[in-house]
Amino acid sequence: MIKNNKKEKESSLSWVMYFSIFFTTMSLFIYETLLTRLFSVILSYNLVFIVVSFGILGGGLGGILAYKILNKKKGAEKILVVSTVLLPISFLASISIMYFFPFTPTFLAYIPAAIFPFILGGIITSIMFKEKPKSSGKLYLMDLLGSAIGSLLVLKLMNSFGFVKSVIAVIIFAVISAIAISMFYKKRLYLIFGSGLLLIMGFLLVNNSLLDGIGNKFYAYYTSPATVIESLKSSNEKAEISFSKWDVISRTDVIDIKDKDEKIIVTDGGASAPIVKFNGDLESVQHLKSEVNSIAFSFGKNEKSLVIGSGGGKDVLFALLGGSKRVDAVEINPSTIEAVEKFKEFSGDVYNYPGVNLYNQDGRYFIENSKDKYDNIYL
């Protein structure tokens, strides 16, 4: 009878471990991807992968820490419960430090904030494998399955909900893991704490007005020298962000420069493309012909043109001014297209101008699959 009870407890523990490691690794993988999105906005691209690589190193450090601690006869059960409860808190603290605090010039300062959740993840998974060595194959399966689903789920989360809500979703996944472990080991205090945190995160997830306010307090972005908005403010330009959206490709902003005939679409803080003020009459934008970029459309036959990376639509206007009767515009970023649509009264609804066809695709993919021939291909 005692043996049967022991076997039942072992079986229950196995399922709790499978369940917990699945949600732990899924949340860590999504967090890792969100880090690349966050750092892509505030840092130069060549630094993004260095910081994230140091973050992933935390997983290995966590494994070493777990080994050292358990060798000192510390209780694996308590360490596992505490680590799973700390993981969602570390997600919240890590992102908050990098999001709400002013930009730090030394990028190495972001490593400690980024690495801590990975250390906890390393501790959790290492203890699970040590506690259930006979089930290591199944644990590894759930580990990989959690990461695989996380790699797909982050695409849906970012495209549907943006960055801030995706962070909350990551915290919720980690809290589910903590609640499962706390319930199994009957740690009432940790269970109450986890349940309370789950309720708070759930409330935030459905409160769009509160999340919008949080999203607008991205101080690291507004103070980073790598961003267009900071450059404009440093030069005393009257500029403000009038549209902002995160997706899996980028953070896209529209910067409204007062007393100008252009708005600026900014991708990941740095790459910019203008939305030109256009009333639908090409005569109103004849001044664009004096710009150097219009040279490609100032001679030869331009009946049919392809514009790759059409951005805010200025290059489309170059093609139309050059005499193009058909313009195929290819833009990979759906948020850029949404931004132009949002300000269509300002842009003259350029993407719906007669003869203009818009394609939300990658430029190479479009050309590889197109049978059309063009008089002018503008990149």
Side-chain angles (χ1 to χ4, degrees):
M1 186 71 176
I2 295 173
K3 285 184 178 180
N4 287 337
N5 288 338
K6 190 175 181 181
K7 283 183 179 179
E8 285 179 10
K9 188 174 181 182
E10 282 290 313
S11 178
S12 299
L13 178 59
S14 295
W15 282 106
V16 169
M17 292 286 193
Y18 300 151
F19 185 82
S20 184
I21 200 170
F22 172 83
F23 278 98
T24 297
T25 55
M26 183 170 70
S27 63
L28 282 167
F29 196 96
I30 297 174
Y31 167 73
E32 178 190 338
T33 308
L34 292 178
L35 274 186
T36 65
R37 287 278 80 249
L38 179 67
F39 289 140
S40 293
V41 174
I42 61 176
L43 299 175
S44 301
Y45 275 100
N46 59 320
L47 298 178
V48 172
F49 303 104
I50 296 175
V51 176
V52 175
S53 296
F54 274 106
I56 297 170
L57 175 65
L61 294 177
I64 295 170
L65 277 174
Y67 173 78
K68 294 287 187 183
I69 294 169
L70 295 178
N71 267 2
K72 293 180 180 179
K73 307 300 181 183
K74 301 285 185 180
E77 173 188 314
K78 185 177 181 181
I79 297 168
L80 180 59
V81 173
V82 171
S83 296
T84 55
V85 171
L86 285 177
L87 183 61
I89 299 172
S90 72
F91 287 144
L92 181 61
S94 173
I95 296 295
S96 296
I97 289 169
M98 294 181 281
Y99 197 92
F100 297 121
F101 283 76
F103 176 78
T104 303
T106 305
F107 77 91
L108 293 173
Y110 287 105
I111 293 173
I115 203 172
F116 192 60
F118 290 109
I119 293 175
L120 286 171
I123 292 172
I124 293 167
T125 53
S126 296
I127 291 176
M128 287 181 179
F129 276 99
K130 189 176 187 304
E131 288 296 289
K132 301 295 295 178
K134 292 182 180 179
S135 302
S136 59
K138 292 178 181 177
L139 282 171
Y140 191 51
L141 172 65
M142 297 306 290
D143 182 329
L144 292 178
L145 192 60
S147 299
I149 291 176
S151 69
L152 298 174
L153 187 58
V154 69
L155 304 178
K156 179 66 177 176
L157 287 173
M158 283 295 290
N159 286 334
S160 300
F161 304 119
F163 183 81
V164 176
K165 274 194 176 183
S166 296
V167 171
I168 293 174
V170 167
I171 295 170
I172 288 173
F173 295 146
V175 169
I176 291 171
S177 173
I179 289 174
I181 292 291
S182 299
M183 283 179 66
F184 179 82
Y185 287 114
K186 297 179 182 177
K187 301 293 183 181
R188 184 177 296 178
L189 185 62
Y190 294 115
L191 180 59
I192 292 171
F193 178 81
S195 300
L197 185 58
L198 185 63
L199 288 173
I200 293 170
M201 291 300 111
F203 171 75
L204 285 174
L205 199 61
V206 298
N207 196 321
N208 290 325
S209 58
L210 184 58
L211 285 180
D212 288 341
I214 293 172
N216 291 332
K217 298 185 184 299
F218 190 5
Y219 292 132
Y221 175 63
Y222 297 122
T223 55
S224 171
T227 61
V228 173
I229 187 69
E230 169 61 16
S231 298
L232 290 171
K233 288 184 175 180
S234 297
S235 61
N236 296 319
E237 287 272 11
K238 293 181 179 178
E240 64 179 29
I241 295 175
S242 53
F243 170 88
S244 183
K245 184 177 180 181
W246 288 86
D247 57 33
V248 76
I249 293 178
S250 65
R251 174 187 166 112
T252 303
D253 296 306
V254 174
I255 300 178
D256 189 1
I257 305 174
K258 303 302 180 183
D259 305 321
K260 296 278 186 174
D261 288 335
E262 288 186 350
K263 297 181 187 293
I264 303 174
I265 298 179
V266 180
T267 304
D268 277 345
S272 60
I275 303 176
V276 177
K277 189 174 184 179
F278 177 48
N279 62 11
D281 182 1
L282 290 175
E283 289 296 322
S284 66
V285 288
Q286 287 294 316
H287 61 278
L288 295 179
K289 285 186 174 182
S290 64
E291 295 191 14
V292 67
N293 298 49
S294 68
I295 290 175
F297 299 99
S298 62
F299 57 87
K301 185 181 179 183
N302 294 305
E303 286 284 320
K304 190 176 177 183
S305 297
L306 172 64
V307 175
I308 300 173
S310 52
K314 188 174 185 178
D315 297 341
V316 173
L317 291 176
F318 286 140
L320 293 171
L321 288 168
S324 295
K325 303 301 180 187
R326 174 181 165 181
V327 181
D328 289 347
V330 182
E331 172 55 48
I332 192 173
N333 190 349
S335 294
T336 296
I337 296 170
E338 185 178 333
V340 177
E341 173 67 21
K342 181 176 177 62
F343 296 97
K344 62 183 179 182
E345 290 184 8
F346 182 88
S347 68
D349 202 9
V350 64
Y351 280 139
N352 288 309
Y353 192 85
V356 176
N357 305 297
L358 177 64
Y359 299 90
N360 180 204
Q361 294 180 15
D362 171 70
R364 292 184 182 88
Y365 176 85
F366 179 86
I367 288 177
E368 286 172 358
N369 292 276
S370 175
K371 293 183 170 63
D372 287 319
K373 295 190 180 296
Y374 298 93
D375 301 308
N376 200 330
I377 298 177
Y378 187 84
L379 175 61

